Amino acid sequence: MQSEALVIGRVIGDVVDNFSSTVKMSVRYKCNNHVYNGHQLSPSTLASTPKVHVLGGDMRTFFTLIMTDPDVPGPSDPYLREHLHWIITDIPGTTDSSFGREVVSYEMPRPNIGIHRLVFVLFEQKRRMQVQGIAPSVCRDGFSTRNFAEENELGLPVAALFFNCQRHTAPRRR
């Protein structure tokens, strides 16, 4: 079950409060790298912006997507939690992220220490958004998905996915 994976992966708790998924979401990077809860993707496959499909609602229903890393700078001491990677608002239901309005541009994940969780959270909007809480020179570190949702009256998420990512290690010479 999807929510069980989010609890085990500590997405529910660290990033969002407990919620029930009411919409399906699929995330795919180039080369057909689909995102599944808890799977590992390497940084080299994450350079391009993923395609996020919203599988629910209708063309009159709008969604906000947030991509965040709750493990910055490292999972053992994530004192900068969260690091914001991407925000898109006004995504019409039954479409994909390319139909939405990019509020914060996509930033490729580059974990330095340990295994990081990269989380996609989808919220249903009550109406088209005038986003609050994002300055033009947004500080990506210290972002809070919960605070953003509260400031923009988004309520609880309707879907979430996460994957794991860690830095490529160079082979050691002897």
Side-chain angles (χ1 to χ4, degrees):
M1 190 174 197
Q2 181 172 336
S3 63
E4 191 174 305
L6 297 172
V7 170
I8 291 168
R10 295 184 339 269
V11 170
I12 292 176
D14 287 352
V15 180
V16 295
D17 295 325
N18 198 13
F19 71 96
S20 295
S21 291
T22 57
V23 171
K24 293 202 182 285
M25 169 177 60
S26 76
V27 179
R28 186 181 47 145
Y29 281 90
K30 281 190 177 178
C31 302
N32 283 334
N33 281 328
H34 283 272
V35 172
Y36 298 102
N37 282 324
H39 285 205
Q40 179 98 6
L41 294 176
S42 65
S44 61
T45 64
L46 308 174
S48 62
T49 305
K51 194 71 101 173
V52 180
H53 293 273
V54 177
L55 309 166
D58 57 40
M59 294 295 285
R60 295 171 305 202
T61 308
F62 295 97
F63 296 90
T64 293
L65 174 73
I66 296 173
M67 180 183 178
T68 185
D69 178 347
D71 298 320
V72 175
S76 62
D77 186 20
Y79 65 86
L80 293 175
R81 176 178 293 167
E82 303 166 30
H83 182 84
L84 177 63
H85 283 272
W86 199 26
I87 296 180
I88 298 181
T89 63
D90 299 330
I91 304 168
T94 70
T95 66
D96 65 59
S97 51
S98 66
F99 291 93
R101 185 170 62 96
E102 189 174 68
V103 176
V104 176
S105 63
Y106 177 77
E107 178 184 88
M108 176 184 155
R110 291 184 179 95
N112 287 323
I113 304 166
I115 299 171
H116 288 237
R117 296 166 293 163
L118 279 298
V119 182
F120 293 91
V121 184
L122 189 69
F123 295 93
E124 185 174 332
Q125 299 171 201
K126 293 181 177 143
R127 60 195 163 285
R128 284 201 177 248
M129 290 195 45
Q130 293 294 354
V131 176
Q132 305 298 314
I134 298 292
S137 59
V138 65
C139 178
R140 292 180 185 258
D141 285 331
F143 180 80
S144 170
T145 299
R146 282 185 182 94
N147 290 348
F148 180 85
E150 184 178 320
E151 290 165 3
N152 292 283
E153 300 175 1
L154 294 171
L156 290 173
V158 294
L161 283 171
F162 80 101
F163 66 92
N164 296 315
C165 182
Q166 66 182 333
R167 185 174 104 179
H168 287 293
T169 55
R172 293 184 178 180
R173 290 183 163 179
R174 290 189 176 226

